[in-house]
Amino acid sequence: MSNQALWRDTTHLCPKPLDLAFYQALVANQEHWQPRSTTVLTGFDGLAVELAAGELLSLQLRDGAQIVHCYPLNPADPDERYWAQHTVTTEGLFLTRYGRLWGSMARHRPMLTFLEDTVTPPRRDGAVAGRHHPCFSGSSTPAFWRAAGGASDIPSGWHQMAALVEQRGWDPLSVLDKEDACLFQKGRIDEYTQHLHLLPSDALAGDRVTLFAEFDLVVLLALSPFLDGSAPVATPRPRPVDVTVCERVAEPPGWPYLNMGYPDLDLYLDEKGVRSDEPVPTAGRES
Amino acid sequence: MMAEQAGVPIAVPFDHGFYEALIAKRDDFLFRSSHEVPAGRGYGFHVGAGQAFRLIQTAAAQIIDTCFASADDVREHHHSGTQVALEGTQVTRLTRVWSNPPWNRPLCTCIADTVRPQANAANTREHATHGAHCNPHLWTLYTGQHPRSCYDNLRAGFAQLGYSQRAIHDNQNLFQNTALDPVTSDYLLGEGNSQAGDYIEFFAEVPLVVVISICPHGTGSIPIEDWDEGEVPVYPVRIEILDTGVTPVPWPQ
């Protein structure tokens, strides 16, 4: 298949090719997905899920809407982490089936691809306009939790993930400096002010998202103390979420695709294969 | 500036009177330095707490990808998530620029913005907070070429100050005319409205490292799929640093 045939019909600012047939085949084969583990995420202490390339991660709501913050990393090089800013330019602000979470420089490749999203479109009659699963919303930050009046003894989504990062011996100030995807969260973009208004989620018990791992990952998950996105309550009680990993369903197609333009990563990576920490400009592109 | 959660307005402390007084003093700010950044290049500079800095369009509309970091620890830097949650997706006068957790505080505050956007159906306006930077991946994907991308320019600008590419973080897209489509949520790009002489000015709340890239995408008016069909016009910009004589209000307030 030529590179050109993989371009989606999209109005996104920075479209990237997608082998849609590959992912559609995975979805068509859904009855053969084999769970290898299920963990019930119930508290505000987060969960780090190890995913091998080609495995699936499913998040299913048990008792109703619950926002789950999601931040994938490369465990072999945590400098490679979810890049929400660029995901917005490629996928739009809200994610759904066949949308992808993109990783940071220098490799800048897809990390996870949505195969299932039972929330979108919302099914509740009369629901306020809006969509689910923003690439980022900022609602996991301590600043927003505090500003909304959240209790100081309840950890924000960021604090939950920071504890998981520290357990692995990584520096949360470096690794967790970007934004997380906010699964099951609902938001609405105001046409004129361009503010993102966060709304109670339309998700219901049983709703699920499933993501395909494009390479080996650690995915940090944290339940939002905003629960379904309503205003904070004094003692929020998180709604449980089933976190299921399914055995490898396919060899990921890899990135870049055949005959696709791709930069020379030697300009950015050192001899260990990680981003160089030398304070030098890119060779041949000095200012 | 008012965020909203589930229909409940969220008010972040903001001393309106302080900034009104500061803006009223702008004619008295003392000029300290000026630097012209050539078209298509990167540049890094320091700004002291209480100083102001101005990014000026010298020839025509030109996108400036801008990184804001704390000079005390560059791991503290602009954070689009906090920014969008507390201030929205665009920057103009009296918008604060927020840092990442756990600091989560204002790094600087916009005190002037002379761009006057033209009304348009998509409601695009200047100065986006969340559009990332062009990088060698985009250029090689769309054109097969690798010019000085914004990533390379930002890397060069940080290197000028002794920092590596790992200090590059989520930037703002100043003078880029954008909106998010309220239905599709697509990131829309419009024609830049700024003109020669237009500027945006920030008051530094803390000592800052600021690194800019003059985007090789120019004003953003050429669709990305046409980047390889000729020269994209790119223009220089000027940076001015001024002493305000005003001490920032400590955070938290």
Side-chain angles (χ1 to χ4, degrees), chain A residues 49-55 72-77 80 109-112 213-219 248 252:
Chain A
V49 181
E50 307 263 0
L51 278 182
E55 290 189 325
L73 300 158
N74 177 354
D77 175 14
E80 184 176 12
R109 54 182 170 168
M111 305 183 93
L112 291 164
E214 301 288 349
F215 58 93
D216 291 353
L217 295 170
V218 170
V219 182
R248 177 186 170 102

Side-chain angles (χ1 to χ4, degrees), chain A residues 11-12 14-15 85 93-94 106-107 131 143 171 177 179 192 194 198 229 267-268 275 277 280 282 286-287, chain B residues 5-6 42 75 77 80-81 89 104 125 132 137 142 146 148 151-152 155 164-166 170-171 180 185-186:
Chain A
T11 53
H12 294 313
C14 300
Q85 268 206 340
L93 181 63
F94 296 104
R107 297 181 190 87
R131 287 185 54 188
D171 172 22
D177 69 328
E179 294 78 13
Y192 180 70
Q194 286 287 304
L198 300 175
L267 293 168
Y268 304 99
R275 266 199 312 172
D277 203 18
V280 295
T282 307
E286 299 82 357
S287 277
Chain B
Q5 169 73 34
R75 293 176 302 176
H77 52 69
S80 292
T89 61
N104 262 177
R125 290 202 299 271
H137 292 263
Y142 300 132
H146 178 179
R148 287 185 181 85
Y151 184 87
D152 298 305
R155 183 182 184 184
S164 81
Q165 62 182 326
R166 289 179 176 239
D170 287 351
N171 55 284
L180 290 168
S185 86
D186 283 352

Side-chain angles (χ1 to χ4, degrees), chain B residues 65-132:
Chain B
D65 285 53
T66 306
C67 284
F68 305 87
S70 164
D72 295 329
D73 185 343
V74 293
R75 293 176 302 176
E76 181 185 12
H77 52 69
H78 169 58
H79 187 252
S80 292
T82 310
Q83 187 74 33
V84 168
L86 298 180
E87 306 267 355
T89 61
Q90 292 167 329
V91 178
T92 188
R93 194 169 70 167
L94 298 181
T95 305
R96 286 179 289 186
V97 175
W98 287 81
S99 70
N100 52 313
W103 296 278
N104 262 177
R105 60 176 175 165
L107 292 171
C108 54
T109 302
C110 180
I111 55 174
D113 171 16
T114 67
V115 182
R116 293 294 170 261
Q118 300 298 308
N120 63 83
N123 281 320
T124 58
R125 290 202 299 271
E126 266 68 12
H127 312 314
T129 63
H130 56 283

